[in-house]
Amino acid sequence: MEQEMEKKLVTMAREARKNAYAPYSGYFVGAAVLTTDGDIYTGCNVENASYGLTNCAERTAIFKAVSEGARKLRAIAIAGPEDGNPPYPCGACRQVLSEFAESGEMPVFVTTGADVYQTYQLKELLPYSFNL
Ligand code: THU
């Protein structure tokens, strides 16, 4: 994947983070997924007073893509705070990513600072994934 596209995804994830609804944790997250068709869908975390109903930014973006007809994801960027814990995807989001990832090599870009992100492959974040 070209670096230009990586940066675009990260920028769009950062932009989506501005819409995060996180009054309970105060931890704001944005995500952007790139489909194999070249489309990009963004999402943010959406919390609830009933804490367990919270939806992570990654799943918001993925569900938006799938609900618009996209089925295969090529990459995802996840943006968190400029300083603080990086927004590594939670276990539930890793499993949902694996459902729609084009392959286990799918890149996952995780911001680790204001202008920096680390790249992982889905299969290193979720080895021995369950699929039918
Ligand atoms: N969260 C995400 O949206 N994505 C991640 O990768 C990590 C966690 C959200 C869920 C919750 O709203 C807040 O961050 C704190 O867990």
Side-chain angles (χ1 to χ4, degrees):
M1 167 165 311
E2 300 99 53
Q3 229 201 351
E4 203 176 313
M5 177 55 83
E6 292 186 9
K7 288 188 170 163
K8 182 176 180 181
L9 277 179
V10 170
T11 300
M12 289 183 74
R14 283 195 198 292
E15 195 60 26
R17 181 172 180 267
K18 293 178 181 164
N19 291 326
Y21 178 72
Y24 304 105
S25 72
Y27 191 84
F28 298 78
V29 188
V33 290
L34 173 68
T35 73
T36 51
D37 290 335
D39 297 318
I40 296 173
Y41 295 87
T42 61
C44 62
N45 54 334
V46 183
E47 297 188 345
N48 192 277
S50 179
Y51 291 2
L53 299 182
T54 291
N55 207 60
C56 293
E58 297 92 319
R59 275 176 293 143
T60 302
I62 295 165
F63 292 157
K64 280 172 67 178
V66 174
S67 65
E68 294 296 324
R71 288 286 184 278
K72 286 263 168 277
L73 305 181
R74 181 147 289 167
I76 185 169
I78 311 160
E82 292 188 0
D83 43 21
N85 292 349
Y88 295 116
C90 76
C93 288
R94 293 178 196 206
Q95 178 67 22
V96 172
L97 270 171
S98 114
E99 184 76 26
F100 298 106
E102 176 184 29
S103 83
E105 278 88 52
M106 175 189 180
V108 178
F109 308 114
V110 179
T111 63
T112 52
D115 258 324
V116 52
Y117 61 89
Q118 301 292 320
T119 304
Y120 303 90
Q121 288 191 339
L122 180 59
K123 67 181 181 189
E124 64 179 317
L125 297 178
L126 188 68
Y128 305 105
S129 67
F130 175 71
N131 287 289
L132 293 176

